[in-house]
Amino acid sequence: MATATGVYHTTYGRDFALRHTRAEYARLALLGAFAVVLPFTLDKYWLSYVNLILLAAVAAVGLMILTGYTGLISLATAGFLGVGAYTTANITTRLHWPMPVGVLCGTVLAAAIGAVFGLPALRVKGLYLAISTFAAQAILNNRFRDWPWLVQGHFSIGAKTPAIGHHVMRSDFEWYWLLLVITGFVVWGGVNLFRTGFGRALIAIRDQDIAAEVIGVEVGRYKVMAFSIACGLAGFAGALQAHYRNVVTWERYDFDTSFLFVAMIIVGGLGSVSGAVYGAAFMTWVPAYITRVGQGIQQGSSGTPFIIRELPAIQLGLFGVVIVAFLLFEPRGLARLWQRAKDYFRIWPFRY
Amino acid sequence: MNRYARKLAVVLSLALIVGVGCGKDNKNKSASKTNAPTKADIKVGAIFDLSGATADVGTPFSEGIRDYVEYKNSQGGVEGHKVALTFQDYGYKVPQAEQLYSQYVSQGAKVFMGWGTGDTEALRPKVNADMIPFMSASYAETLADPKVTPFNFFPGASYSQQMRIALQWISDQNKGKHIEVAVFHHDSAFGTSPLDDGKKYIADHKLNIGFKDYAMTAGATDFIAQIGQAKTQQAKYIIVQNVASPAAKLATNLASEKSTAQLMCLNWCADELFVKLAGPAAEKMIGVMPFAPPVEGTQGLDEINNFLKAKNTTAKDKGLHYVQGWYTMATMTQGIDNAIKANGDNPTGEQIKAGLEKISDFKTGVSDPISFSADYHAGLTSAPLYQVTGGAFKKISDPIKVTK
Amino acid sequence: MTRFLQLTVNGLANGAILSLAALGFVLIYKATEVINFAQGQFLVIGAFMVYNANVTWGLPWPLAVLVGIVAGILLGLAVERLILRRLVGESSLAVIMVTIGLASALFGIVLMTWGAEPKGPPKFVPSGTVRLFGDVAVAANRLWAVGVAVVVFVAVALFFQRSRHGVAMRAVADDQQAAMVQGISVNRIFAFAWALAGAAGCVGGLLLASINSNTGLELEGFAILVFPVVILGGLDSIMGTVVGGGIIGLLVEYTKSYWGINASQILPFVILVAILLVKPYGLFGQVRIERV
């Protein structure tokens, strides 16, 4: 996408750079300033939301790499969140190893299991693969629910709050900084991935995998690796989430959560890492917004009794309607909307 | 701009307007009732299951809680303070429960009315860190132990206690003969909660009972396989720890399999919903019911019936879980009342917790008197048994109390 | 031996119902290559509509079932016309997401219209037990369900073989462009497929409600088992649905009894993954040959 006229690069390095013009750098600086100022202006409740968005973004970026860039549909994200969470909970609570080790193990285990469930990608494509990941989700969710060893026979298993030295990280404020840095790295890594040969190979697999095979891309191996990366990132996010919430229960890792992540990357816009972040923000925010609207209707006692009584049904239905409406209006997602907005201002007062 | 973009702009601006409009409603607190006291409202947060897996019992329970708040406020509130109840359906989805909890607490909720085992468990660390007294509809025994969960309370007999009562009664009925018991349970933490304590009770009290448990898988169309296994076990009694709908299915299956085992239900499946769904198969079911079914003549229903007269209905129509919800909220407000009497107008979470622990001999009429203590956060330790006869519940034993 | 026979009969009965639930799924995929995640809701709405007609409006049961089927047809048509038609050409993932969103929206509508309180089973379905082969006890409503499923499948098979519309649907499934050249209106066929799926969903939901002893929101949970059935049988094969349903139904019953309840829950999905590795297009599915 051309960003401005009159920009000529004289070295390969400049050509590959992530930002090309001074305006773009300025925008990036603004974003950075915004991210730094944000936690000081929000109250605890909204800050916890931002933390949730950052956590979801990590897994969403992983899923975007798999689905948006490699074209492999995965409906099992929640299952791998769970793998990461249960692993780190067991390691930190039962073996008493430190949190970073637990999170690392969670990530690695999720990546390994992801590779296993990615094996069908060697044989099937498209919707068949989607159904296979659906099965993976069912199996994983069932194991979380019915495997007493995982939770030592209790309802759930705890995960310690992380501590840096002697200082225990308890508040959303402290978590924000940790998550901001982590998510920043993940997003940066994701964007950089597609400047490498490996990333371009993934895109080739999405576009025309048979042709990619013909020109020498090891399609099978790269597909499984893409699964590994996506599931590993999901495990990473799940492990962090476990320490954020301090308790791991199986209800969190069901189909609805998997669908939520798929909705994130579609609504965000398939094919761009920033789309994953936008999608994560939007899909975390929409249910909260619908809840607020519902409460607004409740408080304002002028609402008709029918609406108040049927509020849960309306909220559920509204969630589905929002997704459907969004996809009907702009199937290419928020990233595309943002792109159109940028183009509009860039080209103004011309029309195109 | 082209047509498409214009349409989009219209939709987005509408959304923005709606959002701002509703946001404003949120900031202005709801208009207070005419007899507005000058004291600050007591904020209570609540989550209900009105659309999820346990919505069939969650909906009447929620109505009981909401109606009690309305009733209490019409009587002047708690020591002059109105109760401001903010609630929402969370569809038995844990992330939703967490979000609502954070929201209500950040908006100033002093206490929280929870619902199921899943969300109560997930919120446990936060509840303890935030020091918010949490009253759940989950009666899992671990929640009654203040050493593990200092801020969790529930006003009923724990599932484990109900199990012990059932086992003791079975043992007494059979005068020490060897009896096989099959326990069918919901396939979750809620279902498995009383199992280990039941086994321990049998061992500790040397009851001559063989105990085997069977999971009632979610989404199953029938439980024939499990019934077959129970038949192999030669179980004479089948105890069910589940909600009404699956228990009714089980009862229907038992009838069609011509099983001779005696069906016993713990509190969440011994209700009028079970009777309605199972139809003729519900006959002879024995229920361990810490809260009495709201049939005519039960004490403790006058208050409720007077209140419901204005809504043209009765406690009997609303059902057992409505009454349960009513008295759950009543117990919580009693605890707040104690705290205000002891500590003045703005009690903290810690003080309300102490106020709840001070409750002893709180009479409801539909159950034994509710008592909490600093060592035990379950309101009841005894429950009577009822049996379904001719489609209605008839008491067959006085409240049975067992020691652990 | 008796136990084995009992399990076999139960398994086949469950399988027949699973196949019927999966039928709508396969119909839509065969004609339009769309995976309809909202099929579970079609089942629920169908069952509730029959309940509504029978109990709330007091119609006699044949009429109530007809009302339910008509409602299913209308629902399918509405979904196809209003939503799916706008998404022609979009990525399959977007379409999947729309059906998921639709499932959520439909769930809200069901909740709003009929509430969360479960209604009992359809009263017009025979209850009680029937004894076969001497000792094997089968619930009468199960036999009834199998009977209905058989009738429906035979009707569908005849439809596809003999009637003009059925042949047209097969043509569209084979090659859309060639079908258009022959003068077949592809749009009409898509609408047809969705309508049929809606109707099949209604009947499937009704059968499920009868053996479930309950018309309630949990019916849609049963729809998850549809996936192993269609993968085993082949996503675009009706015969495959029947065979797949039978096999999965039998295997689940056997595992439940001889192995354990937990294993029986995972087994269908493990089979699914295994089939995808070994024979990806299922037993009867059409092998797709891709060209660059």
Side-chain angles (χ1 to χ4, degrees):
Chain A
M1 197 110 295
T3 50
T5 56
V7 176
Y8 301 110
H9 301 298
T10 49
T11 65
Y12 280 123
R14 289 300 315 154
D15 203 26
F16 273 136
L18 286 173
R19 297 281 182 276
H20 298 289
T21 64
R22 263 189 287 182
E24 284 178 329
Y25 278 116
R27 252 200 333 244
L28 195 60
L30 267 178
L31 181 65
F34 174 70
V36 168
V37 166
L38 194 65
F40 297 100
T41 57
L42 288 178
D43 71 11
K44 185 164 164 243
Y45 173 61
W46 288 113
L47 194 57
S48 76
Y49 256 105
V50 174
N51 283 340
L52 282 176
I53 292 177
L54 289 173
L55 278 169
V58 172
V61 167
L63 189 58
M64 181 63 84
I65 294 176
L66 182 63
T67 307
Y69 283 103
T70 321
L72 304 171
I73 305 174
S74 165
L75 296 172
T77 315
F80 291 102
L81 279 169
V83 169
Y86 275 103
T87 312
T88 184
N90 272 299
I91 287 186
T92 53
T93 312
R94 289 215 252 179
L95 293 175
H96 300 289
W97 287 356
M99 171 193 157
V101 174
V103 172
L104 187 66
C105 289
T107 313
V108 166
L109 192 61
I113 298 184
V116 169
F117 278 115
L119 286 176
L122 295 170
R123 291 286 310 225
V124 294
K125 301 163 58 146
L127 296 171
Y128 284 90
L129 188 59
I131 296 184
S132 139
T133 57
F134 191 84
Q137 166 69 38
I139 295 176
L140 285 170
N141 191 250
N142 180 279
R143 288 293 82 200
F144 296 150
R145 207 173 138 149
D146 282 330
W147 193 9
W149 180 84
L150 265 187
V151 288
Q152 299 176 285
H154 297 150
F155 301 155
S156 62
I157 183 163
K160 290 205 303 266
T161 339
I164 305 178
H166 288 290
H167 176 68
V168 180
M169 285 178 62
R170 224 180 259 288
S171 77
D172 280 308
F173 189 78
E174 290 153 345
W175 268 102
Y176 174 80
W177 296 112
L178 178 67
L179 289 176
L180 186 66
V181 168
I182 289 179
T183 310
F185 264 110
V186 169
V187 169
W188 188 56
V191 172
N192 268 325
L193 185 64
F194 297 101
R195 296 201 288 175
T196 65
F198 177 69
R200 286 198 298 277
L202 291 183
I203 298 179
I205 294 177
R206 175 192 70 196
D207 288 339
Q208 276 288 10
D209 57 347
I210 299 182
E213 183 109 49
V214 164
I215 64 168
V217 173
E218 295 176 49
V219 169
R221 199 165 131 227
Y222 282 7
K223 278 186 180 176
V224 174
M225 276 170 77
F227 258 100
S228 266
I229 294 177
C231 297
L233 277 173
F236 184 51
L240 285 173
Q241 205 178 48
H243 287 285
Y244 180 61
R245 287 284 179 207
N246 297 125
V247 69
V248 180
T249 54
W250 68 268
E251 285 109 342
R252 220 195 288 276
Y253 308 112
D254 59 358
F255 288 109
D256 289 330
T257 314
S258 273
F259 291 151
L260 193 67
F261 276 100
V262 175
M264 278 183 204
I265 59 167
I266 297 186
V267 162
L270 283 173
S272 74
V273 173
S274 56
V277 180
Y278 300 151
F282 187 78
M283 295 308 295
T284 311
W285 174 76
V286 160
Y289 182 67
I290 294 180
T291 311
R292 287 288 192 171
V293 168
Q295 286 165 346
I297 293 178
Q298 257 173 9
Q299 311 292 39
S301 50
S302 59
T304 62
F306 170 75
I307 294 186
I308 295 182
R309 195 182 59 231
E310 301 299 348
L311 206 47
I314 296 180
Q315 285 178 321
L316 268 171
L318 204 55
F319 183 74
V321 166
V322 163
I323 294 182
V324 173
F326 199 93
L327 285 171
L328 286 179
F329 269 128
E330 182 50 270
R332 290 203 267 167
L334 285 166
R336 178 98 188 99
L337 278 178
W338 175 234
Q339 191 65 47
R340 292 171 66 125
K342 280 194 290 190
D343 287 345
Y344 179 77
F345 284 109
R346 183 169 48 84
I347 305 175
W348 188 84
F350 298 113
R351 293 277 292 274
Y352 52 85
Chain B
M1 286 204 258
N2 65 8
R3 260 190 333 188
Y4 157 84
R6 239 183 285 146
K7 255 195 282 182
L8 192 59
V10 167
V11 168
L12 281 176
S13 16
L14 271 175
L16 216 61
I17 293 173
V18 168
V20 169
C22 288
K24 250 208 290 205
D25 268 356
N26 253 332
K27 295 219 178 68
N28 306 337
K29 254 327 193 165
S30 55
S32 40
K33 306 256 159 63
T34 43
N35 49 333
T38 52
K39 297 194 178 177
D41 286 353
I42 300 177
K43 298 209 177 102
V44 174
I47 51 175
F48 303 129
D49 183 6
L50 304 175
S51 62
T54 54
D56 51 357
V57 293
T59 312
F61 188 88
S62 75
E63 287 169 5
I65 291 193
R66 285 156 58 188
D67 282 356
Y68 182 81
V69 170
E70 200 183 309
Y71 166 77
K72 191 76 179 173
N73 284 341
S74 75
Q75 305 275 313
V78 180
E79 301 287 323
H81 299 265
K82 287 281 190 193
V83 179
L85 179 73
T86 44
F87 63 90
Q88 185 93 153
D89 167 44
Y90 78 107
Y92 217 91
K93 295 204 181 75
V94 170
Q96 188 88 320
E98 288 171 334
Q99 171 219 320
L100 287 167
Y101 171 84
S102 322
Q103 185 190 333
Y104 290 146
V105 168
S106 77
Q107 287 174 339
K110 287 279 183 50
V111 298
F112 207 84
M113 311 298 289
W115 171 247
T117 313
D119 51 283
T120 310
E121 192 58 24
L123 287 173
R124 190 170 39 89
K126 273 211 146 88
V127 159
N128 289 325
D130 295 337
M131 300 204 281
I132 303 277
F134 191 103
M135 193 166 284
S136 61
S138 166
Y139 295 170
E141 178 124 314
T142 50
L143 296 172
D145 185 357
K147 289 199 279 294
V148 177
T149 59
F151 282 86
N152 285 77
F153 293 82
F154 57 83
S158 71
Y159 302 137
S160 304
Q161 190 70 353
Q162 292 173 33
M163 176 65 78
R164 296 184 193 113
I165 290 173
L167 290 170
Q168 185 64 50
W169 184 82
I170 290 175
S171 171
D172 292 339
Q173 290 288 307
N174 290 283
K175 304 200 202 343
K177 260 193 337 199
H178 180 77
I179 287 289
E180 287 291 328
V181 169
V183 178
F184 280 60
H185 62 93
H186 189 263
D187 189 17
S188 70
F190 156 62
T192 54
S193 162
L195 297 179
D196 285 339
D197 286 328
K199 292 185 195 149
K200 187 162 176 290
Y201 186 77
I202 292 176
D204 287 347
H205 291 251
K206 302 212 192 338
L207 299 178
N208 201 351
I209 294 181
F211 187 105
K212 261 212 170 112
D213 55 84
Y214 304 94
M216 296 166 76
T217 47
T221 49
D222 62 72
F223 303 111
I224 310 269
Q226 292 94 320
I227 294 177
Q229 289 173 328
K231 271 205 186 138
T232 320
Q233 188 205 348
Q234 295 187 322
K236 287 272 183 308
Y237 292 86
I238 295 183
I239 303 181
V240 184
Q241 162 70 343
N242 209 328
V243 287
S245 313
K249 212 189 300 182
L250 178 64
T252 329
N253 290 154
L254 284 169
S256 72
E257 296 287 300
K258 301 222 192 318
S259 156
T260 54
Q262 168 68 51
L263 187 63
M264 294 182 72
C265 278
L266 301 188
N267 83 296
W268 282 110
C269 48
D271 57 20
E272 63 277 328
L273 194 59
F274 171 84
V275 174
K276 178 177 136 199
L277 287 174
E283 279 297 299
K284 301 256 188 51
M285 181 273 281
I286 296 180
V288 179
M289 300 171 71
F291 285 90
V295 297
E296 279 96 34
T298 314
Q299 296 174 303
L301 292 180
D302 298 325
E303 209 175 54
I304 300 180
N305 277 324
N306 279 336
F307 174 81
L308 287 176
K309 224 186 283 194
K311 306 202 176 184
N312 282 328
T313 179
T314 61
K316 183 154 175 278
D317 293 329
K318 284 293 201 179
L320 189 150
H321 298 298
Y322 176 90
V323 174
Q324 203 177 354
W326 178 280
Y327 280 110
T328 307
M329 194 68 221
T331 314
M332 179 57 99
T333 50
Q334 180 65 42
I336 300 176
D337 196 286
N338 288 347
I340 293 180
K341 284 210 183 82
N343 297 297
D345 275 343
N346 219 355
T348 62
E350 276 272 16
Q351 291 165 341
I352 298 179
K353 164 176 174 271
L356 281 165
E357 286 171 347
K358 231 192 287 196
I359 294 180
S360 80
D361 214 37
F362 178 62
K363 294 198 182 5
T364 64
V366 296
S367 69
D368 279 354
I370 292 179
S371 309
F372 293 116
S373 76
D375 303 314
Y376 196 56
H377 282 184
L380 295 170
T381 47
S382 58
L385 297 181
Y386 287 78
Q387 185 164 39
V388 177
T389 324
F393 285 99
K394 299 254 184 323
K395 205 174 203 184
I396 61 169
S397 90
D398 282 330
I400 302 177
K401 200 176 169 108
V402 295
T403 45
K404 270 200 234 180
Chain C
M1 190 54 192
T2 321
R3 182 156 127 179
F4 180 77
L5 270 180
Q6 171 90 64
L7 292 173
T8 310
V9 170
N10 268 349
L12 284 176
N14 282 346
I17 297 167
L18 265 179
S19 306
L20 199 52
L23 179 63
F25 205 79
V26 166
L27 279 173
I28 294 180
Y29 183 81
K30 202 170 151 75
T32 65
E33 301 219 330
V34 166
I35 298 236
N36 177 23
F37 274 94
Q39 188 68 19
Q41 294 304 326
F42 283 16
L43 293 173
V44 175
I45 291 183
F48 270 110
M49 273 312 291
V50 175
Y51 166 83
N52 211 353
N54 195 10
V55 175
T56 320
W57 293 338
L59 298 172
W61 73 262
L63 205 53
V65 173
L66 197 60
V67 165
I69 293 183
V70 167
I73 292 179
L74 288 177
L75 179 66
L77 282 176
V79 167
E80 195 274 329
R81 193 79 223 287
L82 297 173
I83 301 180
L84 271 308
R85 212 170 269 202
R86 308 259 175 118
L87 290 171
V88 174
E90 294 296 340
S91 73
S92 54
L93 189 57
V95 177
I96 289 182
M97 205 55 233
V98 165
T99 57
I100 293 176
L102 182 65
S104 188
L106 285 176
F107 183 73
I109 293 179
V110 168
L111 192 59
M112 194 163 16
T113 323
W114 287 289
E117 202 192 292
K119 333 283 180 213
K123 296 277 189 303
F124 50 84
V125 177
S127 53
T129 344
V130 169
R131 300 250 149 206
L132 295 179
F133 309 127
D135 224 12
V136 177
V138 186
N141 56 23
R142 262 201 170 67
L143 276 184
W144 186 84
V146 173
V148 170
V150 166
V151 167
V152 168
F153 269 104
V154 168
V156 165
L158 281 177
F159 169 76
F160 276 115
Q161 290 288 347
R162 302 291 170 83
S163 89
R164 275 184 61 209
H165 284 292
V167 174
M169 273 181 82
R170 282 164 61 203
V172 166
D174 249 350
D175 190 334
Q176 275 183 22
Q177 296 221 344
M180 288 205 304
V181 164
Q182 294 280 5
I184 299 176
S185 159
V186 172
N187 270 345
R188 195 96 68 77
I189 295 298
F190 281 6
F192 217 85
W194 276 88
L196 265 186
C202 165
V203 179
L206 184 60
L207 294 182
L208 264 181
S210 70
I211 68 167
N212 204 32
S213 314
N214 202 0
T215 311
L217 295 169
E218 76 255 21
L219 283 179
E220 64 143 357
F222 197 65
I224 290 184
L225 272 181
V226 156
F227 286 103
V229 169
V230 295
I231 289 287
L232 179 56
L235 259 180
D236 51 9
S237 157
I238 309 238
M239 165 71 112
T241 316
V242 175
V243 174
I247 296 181
I248 296 278
L250 283 172
L251 279 176
V252 167
E253 284 300 305
Y254 292 148
T255 326
K256 248 203 266 190
S257 197
Y258 293 125
W259 196 343
I261 304 202
N262 272 339
S264 76
Q265 278 184 303
I266 300 196
L267 187 71
F269 295 102
V270 171
I271 292 181
L272 196 163
V273 177
I275 290 279
L276 281 177
L277 286 174
V278 170
K279 211 171 182 317
Y281 293 103
L283 294 172
F284 296 93
Q286 202 182 32
V287 177
R288 297 288 164 92
I289 302 175
E290 236 186 312
R291 293 184 171 78
V292 183

